[in-house]
Amino acid sequence: MAEQEEKRISLEEMLARPTNNYFLCINYDNEAFMNTGIQESSATPPFASTTTGPDGKKIPGKLGVKQDIMTGMAFLGVRSGFFATANPYYYKDFIGKVVDALKTPGSAFIQVLSSCQRGWRHPENKGPELHRLATESGYWPLYSIRVKDGKPAYAFQRKPTFDEDKLMQFVKGQGKFAHVFKRPDVEKTTHFLIEATRQRYDNILNLAKSFPATPLMESYKIDMRKVPNQEHVAPGHGLCAGCGEGEILTQLATGVQLVAGKNVVYCNATSCTEVSTSKDNFPSWKVPWVHMLYENVGTVADAVSTGFRILKTKGLYDKPIPRVIALGGDGGLYDIGFQFLKAAIFRAGTWGVLNEDVKQDSGI
Amino acid sequence: MSVKPMGPFFEPIAKKTMLTMTGNYAVAGAVKQTDPDVICAFPITPQTQSVEGLSDVVYEGALKAAFVNTESELAAMSYSVAAALTGARVFTATASQGYLLMQEALPMAVGWRLPISMLISARAWNAPNLNIWNSWEFTLADYGWNAIISENVQESYDSAIMAVMIAEKSLFPTMFVHDGFITSHAVHKYWVLPDEEVLKLVPKKKRHFVDVDNPATWGGLVTPEYLMEQRYATVEAKKDTLAQIDEVFAAYGKASGRQYKQVETRNIEGKKTAFLTMGSMCGNIASWQLDNPDIGLIKLRTWRPFPADYLRKVVEQNKIERIAVIEKDDAPGAMLPQVSQSVYEALGEYSVAIRGYTVGLGGRDVTADEFNFIKSDVAKISGKRASFKYVGLRESKNKVLGVDKALDFGTHAPGGGN
């Protein structure tokens, strides 16, 4: 990719935007059904060993490739929206994207990589390094797709590169791939893994060339000294030590709080974040939090948002409308929850009648 | 495409009016009068015109509501539950496979005590083949939803309003049921209450809901330390519901002049044998009773919670000896289908002989022939034995059990898609 000018998006500039979004979907991707005990999902990469796709003598872990849902989400045909990948290692980028999404009308979807020391099988303190390698290798490029008037525009927040050595470091750092290197067909399997990853990366680059933003490179400028600590999730929770989701929760809440203060409702799919932050009578949440089922978090969050907006429109709710965050992962949004996530994102990006109503009637 | 039949509800209704409409449109009109905030729609025959009618009044500007076309029935129920959690008044409707698909989200509406109202336009479900006509799918499972059953279009209209009243009084979600096609697509004359009268019956109250100033968690993880007490609390709270339904029936009766009872009877006084059923079949039986005055009719208006005490009172007062439970469902592997089961349980201490009769599945007409057969069959029984049989069953190409002539299958109007 040719060297070119980079756009700097400052926090102050985003917060000053007159536009708003009240509904954001977050999919943390830890590449398997981790909450139920590391079962294979469509997010699982090739040859990763899971409890329903183990490293057997005949079949070496997952057969098939890792599903890429970002592209499909951004090309549903929505009129406006903000779609992005994120990585908790690049925390300013993730926080920036959360703020950006909540200040851009239409669909809002962020797909964030989340290490899982139990499922990926790496030492507790290696999560951040694996996160970094994922992006540096081209396995998890950081990009956003802004859709305006139905037209998508790609931008990268880190210069995209594909680096085979770093990809191998990323793979070798995870015990879920350890068997691959002990087999006689190691060359064939690693070749497939590299080529499948490269293809996914190439597809993103080619789309970015076809639908480029100007400039193509951008980054978020956030002075973390001026950003207050989040007060949505209490420090006590039951996540495993070294879990990527802990970082994600903190960073997500930091970004949401910048825009919404405490005027927010989190909706959680059944997942590790759900069970580890809501137990019995000592939940970790200091703001309203709703969990209903494994698969329907997109729909639930959409409905909570709609409920508040229609009540406001009808004069039955007198406070400012809360932001609603749909949070899911552990394969719950890739597979069982895909339909609900897709529908919620699509409705948010196309169905403007109610939004217009709310604007007119409540002066938002 | 605008649905013209909703025309009468495009303008305010200022006085009691007689209209002529199908069951589904009548329900749409009644729901419109209750001023719902969120309507969740997913199409399934024979329910669809109820939400079509509501989209009409919303898009016409006659009702301010979020009309949401959801991605499935499970989504429609998920949407309904979550929207109700904000305090919005919510209506949805379904049938058959849609009801089956909703199952996973139905218990949360009960657990969170959300006053949702839902129309079921009762229809067979797929096994072993697809059939879009009338059977009773709603008896399969309720998870603690209230259920009231209507016989005709007037009762469906009334039920749509009373379901909101019952749901909001009991804080349990409430479904109201009419028989698919038989009532949902039948054109009847019926009386409509003035808008103002309806709004007086269903005033908007602030319910418990997600409150940003008073944060709470909903649906978190509970360990064995807590779940039993939570279930117990739900079951205890449910015990008040029958009395609350009585209050609603009384209040609605006062406003409309139509007084309902949870267990209604026709020509029951002094009858030793009674037919017990619910829904549209009650009308068939009532006309059949003109030639069979020796048989009484017991009609369940409330299905859940099961009005056992009222049923016992009817049996006691009239010294009933035999009850034929006539129902449009069955139960492979069980002793009795669902309605018979509940009746059997309710009358456990009475020496009344009970038999279950499965009729009319998949929209098959239930005619006087079947009632004649059941009458002679139930006369032969004595003592308690849990069993049920099919009536009106095809035994060979031209012979149907209990029916004098072979069924004519050419009479069903096509009902559209699924």
Side-chain angles (χ1 to χ4, degrees):
Chain A
M1 193 155 291
E3 288 296 326
Q4 59 161 300
E5 179 194 352
E6 179 179 295
K7 183 178 165 193
R8 300 273 278 167
I9 306 168
S10 78
L11 178 64
E12 293 71 22
E13 178 251 305
M14 285 193 289
L15 291 174
R17 279 183 212 161
T19 51
N20 276 303
N21 198 342
Y22 291 91
F23 175 44
L24 165 64
C25 295
I26 304 281
N27 180 18
Y28 67 82
D29 182 3
N30 51 18
E31 306 201 314
F33 291 102
M34 297 308 185
N35 58 323
T36 44
I38 319 167
Q39 288 80 25
E40 181 180 304
S41 77
S42 58
T44 307
F47 309 120
S49 172
T50 59
T51 52
T52 53
D55 51 310
K57 207 181 277 178
K58 187 169 182 198
I59 304 172
K62 167 149 173 176
L63 293 177
V65 294
K66 181 177 171 62
Q67 190 177 54
D68 179 10
I69 62 171
M70 273 303 289
T71 313
M73 291 294 174
F75 282 81
L76 287 169
V78 299
R79 297 303 299 159
S80 62
F82 179 85
F83 304 81
T85 59
N87 179 338
Y89 184 82
Y90 304 94
Y91 60 92
K92 283 189 199 175
D93 181 64
F94 182 32
I95 294 169
K97 280 170 176 169
V98 169
V99 174
D100 206 338
L102 290 172
K103 297 298 284 180
T104 306
S107 311
F109 177 60
I110 299 174
Q111 165 108 335
V112 52
L113 184 69
S114 176
S115 68
C116 170
Q117 48 100 346
R118 293 276 300 115
W120 291 14
R121 290 178 235 157
H122 60 78
E124 288 156 12
N125 60 353
K126 291 290 179 201
E129 188 185 328
L130 288 168
H131 282 148
R132 177 177 56 80
L133 283 168
T135 292
E136 286 182 352
S137 66
Y139 184 84
W140 195 268
L142 292 182
Y143 62 98
S144 64
I145 310 162
R146 283 169 206 282
V147 183
K148 212 176 164 196
D149 299 325
K151 195 181 174 212
Y154 279 69
F156 291 95
Q157 291 76 37
R158 300 272 311 170
K159 195 178 169 204
T161 47
F162 190 81
D163 185 326
E164 269 185 48
D165 291 341
K166 284 188 171 162
L167 181 60
M168 276 301 112
Q169 283 179 42
F170 175 68
V171 168
K172 283 181 174 164
Q174 301 175 58
K176 69 181 179 187
F177 294 112
H179 60 286
V180 169
F181 300 95
K182 294 177 192 149
R183 295 172 59 93
D185 58 1
V186 56
E187 257 181 57
K188 206 174 130 194
T189 46
T190 46
H191 177 75
F192 181 86
L193 219 162
I194 292 167
E195 287 316 306
T197 310
R198 193 199 301 276
Q199 192 56 56
R200 194 154 50 84
Y201 171 86
D202 282 351
N203 289 350
I204 294 162
L205 248 63
N206 285 333
L207 280 163
K209 277 181 206 152
S210 306
F211 299 95
T214 326
L216 196 58
M217 292 298 303
E218 62 179 30
S219 64
Y220 292 95
K221 194 174 133 205
I222 300 176
D223 183 354
M224 288 307 287
R225 288 168 300 184
K226 290 184 190 158
V227 174
N229 287 339
Q230 63 88 13
E231 291 178 41
H232 294 176
V233 201
H237 56 64
L239 289 166
C240 305
C243 174
E245 291 162 37
E247 297 172 64
I248 289 168
L249 279 180
T250 309
Q251 295 171 20
L252 169 65
T254 304
V256 174
Q257 188 178 274
L258 282 168
V259 183
K262 294 190 116 181
N263 192 18
V264 58
V265 180
Y266 286 86
C267 298
N268 219 162
T270 310
S271 57
C272 287
T273 47
E274 182 259 325
V275 293
S276 59
T277 61
S278 70
K279 193 172 144 201
D280 285 342
N281 51 354
F282 36 88
S284 314
W285 294 90
K286 294 154 93 176
V287 287
W289 176 94
V290 178
H291 159 259
M292 197 191 301
L293 302 176
Y294 202 169
E295 65 274 25
N296 65 0
V297 67
T299 303
V300 166
D302 185 0
V304 169
S305 183
T306 301
F308 280 115
R309 283 183 288 146
I310 187 69
L311 289 177
K312 182 92 182 175
T313 307
K314 290 175 86 163
L316 299 167
Y317 186 74
D318 43 21
K319 292 182 265 191
I321 294 175
R323 299 301 206 276
V324 182
I325 313 295
L327 174 64
D330 295 296
L333 295 185
Y334 267 108
D335 294 319
I336 185 170
F338 186 76
Q339 174 192 5
F340 302 81
L341 175 71
K342 183 228 70 170
I345 287 174
F346 188 65
R347 266 195 297 267
T350 53
W351 186 52
V353 178
L354 185 61
N355 292 307
E356 288 304 315
D357 247 15
V358 171
K359 264 188 246 162
Q360 284 161 16
D361 293 11
S362 56
I364 291 165
Chain B
M1 192 176 73
S2 177
V3 184
K4 294 241 164 62
M6 289 309 291
F9 291 97
F10 290 167
E11 301 299 325
I13 293 173
K15 58 179 189 351
K16 284 189 186 179
T17 310
M18 182 176 266
L19 296 176
T20 306
M21 277 189 174
T22 64
N24 282 343
Y25 291 132
V27 165
V31 171
K32 183 253 170 181
Q33 289 184 297
T34 66
D35 186 27
D37 303 312
V38 177
I39 298 151
C40 301
F42 189 84
I44 185 165
T45 304
Q47 160 278 116
T48 315
Q49 295 83 10
S50 69
V51 287
E52 282 174 3
L54 280 160
S55 75
D56 239 29
V57 289
V58 171
Y59 280 55
E60 199 69 21
L63 169 67
K64 199 166 212 178
F67 186 92
V68 188
N69 287 306
T70 57
E71 57 275 23
S72 72
E73 284 93 349
L74 179 53
M77 186 41 62
S78 304
Y79 210 103
S80 301
V81 171
L85 205 54
T86 68
R89 180 172 287 167
V90 182
F91 171 79
T92 190
T94 193
S96 180
Q97 299 304 122
Y99 185 59
L100 270 60
L101 186 56
M102 277 184 179
Q103 300 287 309
E104 200 190 355
L106 292 174
M108 274 303 197
V110 175
W112 291 351
R113 307 288 305 277
L114 297 172
I116 298 163
S117 75
M118 169 164 72
L119 165 70
I120 304 275
S121 199
R123 160 184 158 180
W125 65 96
N126 299 0
N129 282 302
L130 182 151
N131 174 297
I132 61 166
W133 291 278
N134 179 219
S135 289
W136 293 347
E137 79 290 69
F138 63 92
T139 59
L140 282 173
D142 55 78
Y143 305 104
W145 278 63
N146 303 324
I148 53 174
I149 320 299
S150 56
E151 179 184 326
N152 50 42
V153 173
Q154 180 71 65
E155 289 194 9
S156 285
Y157 169 85
D158 294 339
S159 292
I161 297 164
M162 290 193 297
V164 177
M165 298 166 73
I166 293 167
E168 296 190 359
K169 200 171 191 77
S170 66
L171 285 182
F172 279 104
T174 302
M175 61 178 96
F176 54 104
V177 184
H178 59 205
D179 285 314
F181 288 110
I182 298 168
T183 308
S184 68
H185 287 57
V187 179
H188 291 187
K189 283 185 175 170
Y190 71 104
W191 284 97
V192 180
L193 288 177
D195 293 340
E196 204 181 322
E197 201 76 52
V198 177
L199 288 175
K200 256 189 247 164
L201 291 168
V202 288
K204 287 257 167 104
K205 287 180 197 155
K206 280 209 167 181
R207 298 288 179 191
H208 62 304
F209 47 65
V210 173
D211 182 358
V212 288
D213 293 333
N214 194 5
T217 58
W218 300 74
L221 174 74
V222 294
T223 58
E225 306 289 318
Y226 287 96
L227 186 68
M228 268 187 87
E229 286 71 21
Q230 296 175 344
R231 295 301 307 163
Y232 175 77
T234 307
V235 169
E236 279 300 297
K238 192 77 191 172
K239 288 180 180 165
D240 301 331
T241 306
L242 280 170
Q244 290 161 335
I245 295 176
D246 275 339
E247 288 168 33
V248 167
F249 282 3
Y252 191 81
K254 211 172 152 198
S256 67
R258 290 181 294 279
Q259 186 61 61
Y260 295 110
K261 287 201 281 186
Q262 307 209 37
V263 175
E264 297 177 0
T265 57
R266 280 174 205 163
N267 185 37
I268 196 77
E269 294 75 22
K271 303 299 179 301
K272 296 289 159 252
T273 304
F275 284 8
L276 184 150
T277 190
M278 45 194 193
S280 60
M281 252 192 303
C282 297
N284 304 28
I285 294 171
S287 28
W288 174 82
Q289 279 176 312
L290 298 175
D291 296 327
N292 295 273
D294 51 333
I295 304 290
L297 170 64
I298 302 171
K299 165 184 166 180
L300 302 182
R301 184 79 164 97
T302 307
W303 160 241
R304 284 290 183 264
F306 192 77
D309 282 339
Y310 292 111
L311 178 59
R312 289 180 192 129
K313 210 174 278 173
V314 169
V315 169
E316 247 170 57
Q317 278 171 355
N318 299 288
K319 301 196 170 53
I320 292 169
E321 290 167 5
R322 291 185 171 82
I323 295 181
V325 181
I326 307 173
E327 54 189 306
K328 292 180 173 176
D329 52 10
D330 60 7
M335 309 276 280
L336 291 168
Q338 290 77 357
V339 183
S340 306
Q341 227 173 68
S342 288
V343 172
Y344 205 86
E345 286 163 7
L347 300 177
E349 65 207 83
Y350 295 83
S351 62
V352 52
I354 300 162
R355 283 294 182 279
Y357 296 93
T358 292
V359 300
L361 296 188
R364 182 167 294 185
D365 284 343
V366 184
T367 65
D369 291 325
E370 274 99 337
F371 298 139
N372 291 335
F373 178 90
I374 293 168
K375 180 182 169 182
S376 64
D377 193 70
V378 79
K380 292 177 218 150
I381 63 164
S382 62
K384 275 212 152 24
R385 189 163 58 83
S387 71
F388 74 103
K389 62 170 74 167
Y390 275 65
V391 182
L393 188 70
R394 184 189 281 275
E395 290 181 295
S396 66
K397 195 179 174 199
N398 294 315
K399 189 167 173 246
V400 173
L401 176 68
V403 177
D404 290 341
K405 286 173 226 152
L407 286 183
D408 174 8
F409 286 101
T411 53
H412 288 293
N418 59 349

